[in-house]
Structures are given as C-alpha cells and as structure tokens.
Amino acid sequence: MLLLNGPSSSGKGSIGRALLPLLPDPWFLVPVDVISGLRSTVHTRQLTKDEIAEMLTRTRRGYHRAVAALASQGNDVIMDYPLSEPWRLTDLLEVLTGYDVTLVEVRCSEAELERRERARQDRPLGLARSQSVFEHKDRDLVVDTTNQTPEACAQIIAESLEQLDTPKAFDRLRAAAS
C-alpha cells in the first residue's frame, strides 16, 4: 500500500495516476475525493457545523475501512489522502495493522499550492496552507512537486520501493504510539 500524504493541490492525485503504469499490475488508485464525492450534497435541511463535522469524520473513517477491505483481499492500493487531522493517522495505524504501508510525503511550495488552488477553482483558497499534514514528522519517501513533474515524482517512488528501510514509517509511528 502507498499512502500519498500532502496538502490539497500538492499533486498527490497526479502522482498516483502516473504511478499506475510504473507498478506491477494491478494497483488501485483510491483517492479520498472519490469517497467524498459519493455523498449527497442535497439535504432536506441545513446541516449544523457539528453535523457536517460528524458526517465528514464518518466518511473518512469509512474511507480507511474501504481501503483496508481492498487490501484484505490481496489488492495493492494507492491512497491519495491528506493526514490533516491527527485522528486520521491514529485511525489508519490501527485499521492498517498488518499491511505493508509506504508513507510518501508530497511537498510543494506555498506559492505553487496557491497558484494551483486558483487554477483548479474547486477548492477554497487557503485550504492547502491550512492543512497540517506533516505533523507526525516521519515518512518513508519525500517528493517535491514544486519543480518536478508528477511523472518524475512517480518514477522516484517506483524506483525506491524495493530499497526502503525497515521498519517503515507506519510501523515506527505505531510503535511510538504504543
């Protein structure tokens, strides 16, 4: 399993798509946006801020378990997912116990993130800057999309997979949390 962790607009999805032809078949790219996009945006009543937060937490917990279900059947999965809240990592460490997870930090300069957010027009401006996705301070690989293409970053990841130190970041983070 590969977990591409970075702020919104950092290039996680583009790297994930570029990785698919570089990895031995079959790998599944499962971005959290696919799951989030399945929820209804039409409501019979206005949701409160707390109800929205609760719904988003349930959605993200469901995403963790959907990815684990795919992996439990022997599927290789690429997650495009920002670890922007500490509970997300804590939950994933538990849900993905026993799986080989490679944690990839996807970096990008703030100026480039803001440029991409403006160009995309599907994210609130400032979202990327607000996400604290690297607070856990451990990872297996780092790629920077500021000046590298998604294809170049995907190549770095694909070539590095067999040479990573063990235990991997998820195992180290799990051990530190115990």
Side-chain angles (χ1 to χ4, degrees), residues 1-5 12-17 19-20 23 26-38 59-60 62-71 75-82 92 96:
M1 186 172 299
L2 285 168
L3 194 163
L4 303 175
N5 173 44
K12 299 178 306 295
S14 297
I15 291 170
R17 287 185 295 280
L19 272 164
L20 290 173
L23 300 171
W27 277 76
F28 294 88
L29 174 59
V30 186
V32 71
D33 289 348
V34 168
I35 302 297
S36 297
L38 297 176
T59 302
R60 291 167 183 145
Y63 170 71
H64 300 172
R65 283 144 184 84
V67 168
L70 279 169
N75 295 297
D76 294 317
V77 179
I78 301 169
M79 298 174 68
D80 161 358
Y81 188 56
L92 280 172
L96 300 180

Side-chain angles (χ1 to χ4, degrees), residues 27-133:
W27 277 76
F28 294 88
L29 174 59
V30 186
V32 71
D33 289 348
V34 168
I35 302 297
S36 297
L38 297 176
R39 68 179 153 76
S40 172
T41 56
V42 178
H43 307 288
T44 57
R45 64 181 175 81
Q46 185 69 31
L47 299 176
T48 68
K49 188 175 181 176
D50 289 343
E51 288 172 320
I52 291 170
E54 183 181 323
M55 180 264 306
L56 289 173
T57 298
R58 285 194 317 268
T59 302
R60 291 167 183 145
R61 286 186 188 280
Y63 170 71
H64 300 172
R65 283 144 184 84
V67 168
L70 279 169
S72 75
Q73 298 304 304
N75 295 297
D76 294 317
V77 179
I78 301 169
M79 298 174 68
D80 161 358
Y81 188 56
L83 297 173
S84 57
E85 300 166 289
W87 74 263
R88 293 184 191 201
L89 177 60
T90 303
D91 192 56
L92 280 172
L93 290 173
E94 180 183 325
V95 170
L96 300 180
T97 296
Y99 295 103
D100 180 14
V101 179
T102 300
L103 181 55
V104 180
E105 179 180 313
V106 180
R107 292 182 182 170
C108 186
S109 74
E110 282 192 19
E112 181 61 13
L113 287 173
E114 289 176 16
R115 186 197 68 74
R116 291 175 187 176
E117 281 180 338
R118 278 198 243 355
R120 286 177 70 160
Q121 298 182 339
D122 67 345
R123 302 281 193 277
L125 291 179
L127 175 64
R129 194 174 353 99
S130 73
Q131 294 176 326
S132 302
V133 295

